[in-house]
Amino acid sequence: MSFLAGIDVGGTFTDLIIVDGAAGQVRLAKVPTTVDNQAYGVLAALDSAGVEAALLATIVHGTTTTTNAMLERKLARVGLITTRGFRDVLELGRRTRPRPYGMTGSFVPLIPRELRLEVEERLDAEGAVLRPLDEKAVSAAALALREAGAEAVVIHFLHSYINPAHELAAERLVRAVWHNQFVTAGHRIVAEYREYERGVTAAVNASVQPVLSRYLERLRGELGKRGYRRDLLVMQGNGGTVASSIVAEHAVNTVMSGPASGVIAAAYTGARCGVPNLITYDMGGTSTDVALIRDGRPSVSSELELEYAMPIHVPMVDVHTIGAGGGSLAWVDAASMLRVGPESAGATPGPICYARGGVRPTVTDANLVLGRLDPAKLLAVDRPVTVERVRELMVEQVGARLGLDAEATAAAILTIANDRMAGAVRMVSLARGHDPRDFALFAFGGAGPLHACALARELGIPRVLIPARPGLTNALGCAVADVRHDFVRTVNRPLADLEPELIARIFAMQEASGRETIEREKVAVEEIVCVHSADMQFQGQSHLLSVPVTTPAITHDELRAAFEAAYLRRFGVELAEIRPVLVNLATAVIGRRPPLDLTAIAAAEPAATLDGARIAMRQVWFDAGFVATPVYRRERLPLGARIAGPAIIEQLDATCVIEPGALALRDDLGNLVVEV
């Protein structure tokens, strides 16, 4: 019973890594995602790996269920009970515009106005009661929302973050008459000021609770039929895991969990091969996700805006996503400009070369036409499509309008896609004061290694790190992720006005809550560590700066000095004459799970020489045109092998392109380290 399974469900593929700790062996699977019911894709992956569910000791699952539900607005019908006079807060928002120029665009709130009901209650900003809670009105509102067909309900009162008494009382009243467990009290999700962001986050939680709960219930049921009797661990957007038995309570935390798992795997791998500063580049079938890892720690933010007017203020790995993946469609707009994405061919019908009915060219089709992919090794080998057919459709759909042949069209598609992805990397590096030349590019996803060298060259990044299983890295992230719970408490007072023991008292309360939650989950952890931070600003400012807190007993003078130093590093100015304000105190309680030996992931049968790993020569297009290029089997690369570009390196889950002038080295953990 030593099998550990990491399963990541993406928009196009479901990836699986199963590690047998006793035997030191690994089994892998990559199957198409079953969009209608993702549970079937999970079962298909287990079948493909040839492991019975009853033999698994632990399953860690990353899912796009909640993210896709949000993006596609396939959500539960939700009602809101709020403070009288504030029913429209979720719709008024910050009065920003969907587009920076002009007054165009639209916005539909998650909760329609007819399901937003008001009750009498009011606290002031210090938490004192101005008007008592009208308990009869709360019960009546709950019954009215239930009668109107609401499946979930949000209780969102104006100043509950400072004093939750009214929300707690209302929660008890609503649960007494509600027909299921989907009742969200806003302060339990986000205990921060700013009623708009807090309310939207609570509304997101309620909207996806039933969706996530139903999916996990189906998955647990199907696994139970196969003999699996344990709980699942589910990835969260903060890069940690949570037991599936309690995950629906804070379902909003699973939004963006898929991208987060890849960043966690990158940090884990980078730390073990001595590269702590990374820019992660995850190019999958539908999108590209990029993030920054500094000193081995991924950046975590509570300022995610999933789409316009959709702020989600819970801690999440800070990932920037664009609609550019291997399945991104190439098209020509009304101005005869070539575009790539954001629309994707997805798992169905997929790219043309997958032979599942797709007729519109994608980035994957462009790579095939340019010789970077082997048509005999694609996932649709049971229904092969000829390269000539892909070329014809590429010209017919795109090239003819641009006056280009198939190869020139494919090259143009890659150029546009690479430019968009380079822009995403600049957003997480240069735009935030980081020089990309100080980092290595960690390239993964099914398509990431195809484009990594070109991106590194464009951005001046000197080194690319390609993990042993790039197409299964998100599944690896699930397998190595720790248990994690985040807590935030708003203070929002000048630092000089705080009583000396307040900071330590709040940190202690948050740490105790995290330890209690981990105990509820009954997940085996080796140790529990706590990471504290403070969100601060100078008085009169609106933006926040997060400051690490090394000890919960930090003094006011030490915290002020740390904030001023962080502010100077970020903005290059000192504001010694302005008082700092402590806005939020945050605590991450992390349960460390047993480590995983990465050498097992890179299991290989190396050849005696580099020539022994070569399987073919192929004409491959680069900037100078088509070049005769050696093709190597990655599993056969000798330890310490040095591969001078141009070269193609193939494996089950990805294809790596080593451009002319680059040099790749296979390290002890099976990674490819490419000097660009």
Side-chain angles (χ1 to χ4, degrees), residues 574-593:
E574 293 180 321
L575 300 174
E577 70 281 4
I578 304 179
R579 295 203 302 172
V581 175
L582 176 59
V583 180
N584 301 315
L585 291 173
T587 300
V589 182
I590 302 169
R592 301 288 189 200
R593 292 174 55 226

Side-chain angles (χ1 to χ4, degrees), residues 350-663:
I352 302 167
C353 56
Y354 283 7
R356 297 195 181 102
V359 294
R360 298 176 63 185
T362 65
V363 174
T364 297
D365 296 311
N367 277 303
L368 178 68
V369 168
L370 296 179
R372 297 171 177 227
L373 292 174
D374 183 351
K377 300 289 176 62
L378 293 171
L379 293 181
V381 293
D382 55 329
R383 290 171 291 174
V385 172
T386 65
V387 176
E388 191 55 43
R389 178 57 179 162
V390 177
R391 288 164 47 88
E392 290 173 2
L393 287 171
M394 188 163 287
V395 172
E396 177 185 310
Q397 297 282 332
V398 176
R401 293 191 59 185
L402 301 173
L404 301 175
D405 62 16
E407 285 74 18
T409 302
I413 290 171
L414 292 194
T415 299
I416 298 296
N418 287 344
D419 182 69
R420 291 195 62 204
M421 292 183 287
V425 173
R426 293 186 183 101
M427 285 293 294
V428 301
S429 56
L430 289 168
R432 300 177 187 178
H434 302 288
D435 189 337
R437 294 173 296 184
D438 296 335
F439 295 79
L441 186 67
F442 189 92
F444 61 104
L450 281 165
H451 300 256
C453 285
L455 259 64
R457 185 183 58 188
E458 168 71 18
L459 295 160
I461 298 174
R463 182 187 299 174
V464 174
L465 185 63
I466 303 174
R469 299 292 181 184
L472 301 169
T473 300
N474 284 31
L476 173 63
C478 294
V480 302
D482 295 317
V483 178
R484 174 169 174 155
H485 299 283
D486 287 274
F487 302 87
V488 180
R489 170 77 179 271
T490 288
V491 178
N492 205 23
R493 289 163 60 190
L495 189 60
D497 295 348
L498 299 179
E499 51 268 36
E501 302 301 322
L502 178 65
I503 295 174
R505 190 163 64 247
I506 292 175
F507 279 143
M509 290 171 56
Q510 295 183 155
E511 180 175 338
S513 296
R515 290 179 180 273
E516 180 185 348
T517 304
I518 291 176
E519 189 172 328
R520 280 176 61 199
E521 293 176 294
K522 296 180 171 37
V523 176
V525 296
E526 293 192 328
E527 63 172 333
I528 296 178
V529 298
C530 298
V531 179
H532 304 291
S533 64
D535 294 333
M536 301 183 69
Q537 61 187 190
F538 281 116
Q539 200 160 23
Q541 294 184 335
S542 59
H543 58 268
L544 302 179
L545 194 62
S546 182
V547 180
V549 175
T550 55
T551 171
I554 192 169
T555 67
H556 292 181
D557 289 342
E558 291 170 337
L559 187 54
R560 176 183 180 123
F563 170 62
E564 290 177 343
Y567 196 92
L568 179 63
R569 284 194 303 271
R570 179 67 180 86
F571 299 106
V573 295
E574 293 180 321
L575 300 174
E577 70 281 4
I578 304 179
R579 295 203 302 172
V581 175
L582 176 59
V583 180
N584 301 315
L585 291 173
T587 300
V589 182
I590 302 169
R592 301 288 189 200
R593 292 174 55 226
L596 188 66
D597 183 6
L598 290 180
T599 57
I601 303 296
E605 299 176 359
T609 65
L610 183 59
D611 283 342
R614 190 166 71 181
I615 55 176
M617 290 290 292
R618 193 160 70 227
Q619 291 291 319
V620 180
W621 184 93
F622 295 98
D623 286 347
F626 279 96
V627 179
T629 302
V631 180
Y632 298 96
R633 193 69 194 162
R634 184 163 183 179
E635 292 84 356
R636 299 282 291 159
L637 291 176
L639 179 64
R642 300 169 66 86
I643 304 105
I648 301 292
I649 302 172
E650 295 181 345
Q651 60 189 108
L652 166 71
D653 50 301
T655 297
C656 309
V657 173
I658 311 300
E659 295 211 335
L663 181 66

Side-chain angles (χ1 to χ4, degrees), residues 11-144:
T12 306
F13 295 110
T14 294
D15 301 330
L16 170 67
I17 287 181
I18 295 180
V19 181
D20 182 351
Q25 296 178 342
V26 173
R27 302 191 191 189
L28 311 171
K30 193 178 189 74
V31 300
T33 293
T34 50
V35 178
D36 293 338
N37 185 346
Q38 293 182 355
Y40 294 140
V42 172
L43 299 176
L46 289 171
D47 290 340
S48 179
V51 174
E52 295 180 16
L55 299 177
L56 298 175
T58 307
I59 296 177
V60 188
H61 182 29
T63 175
T64 55
T65 297
T66 51
T67 307
N68 290 346
M70 286 299 304
L71 295 174
E72 299 170 12
R73 288 295 183 104
K74 295 179 179 178
L75 303 166
R77 185 172 170 83
V78 178
L80 173 72
I81 300 174
T82 190
T83 306
R84 185 168 301 284
F86 289 87
R87 72 187 290 195
D88 293 323
V89 162
L90 303 188
E91 196 159 353
L92 292 170
R94 295 292 171 198
R95 306 313 303 145
T96 57
R97 294 176 292 178
R99 296 187 177 89
Y101 301 102
M103 299 300 290
T104 61
S106 62
F107 163 64
V108 178
L110 287 176
I111 305 176
R113 196 169 195 269
E114 65 271 16
L115 295 182
R116 304 198 297 259
L117 305 184
E118 300 174 345
V119 298
E120 204 68 53
E121 77 84 34
R122 189 65 182 268
L123 307 175
D124 66 17
E126 300 299 322
V129 177
L130 298 178
R131 293 194 205 99
L133 176 67
D134 186 340
E135 295 189 352
K136 290 183 179 179
V138 171
S139 296
L143 289 170

Side-chain angles (χ1 to χ4, degrees), residues 76-80 149-154 178-180 182-183 206-207 209-210:
R77 185 172 170 83
V78 178
L80 173 72
E151 187 177 3
V153 63
V154 174
W178 203 249
H179 54 294
N180 58 40
F182 305 129
V183 179
S207 298
Q209 261 187 330

Side-chain angles (χ1 to χ4, degrees), residues 244-266:
S244 71
S245 57
I246 66 171
V247 66
E249 297 174 14
H250 291 73
V252 64
N253 290 341
T254 65
V255 175
M256 299 298 288
S257 68
S261 63
V263 179
I264 296 304

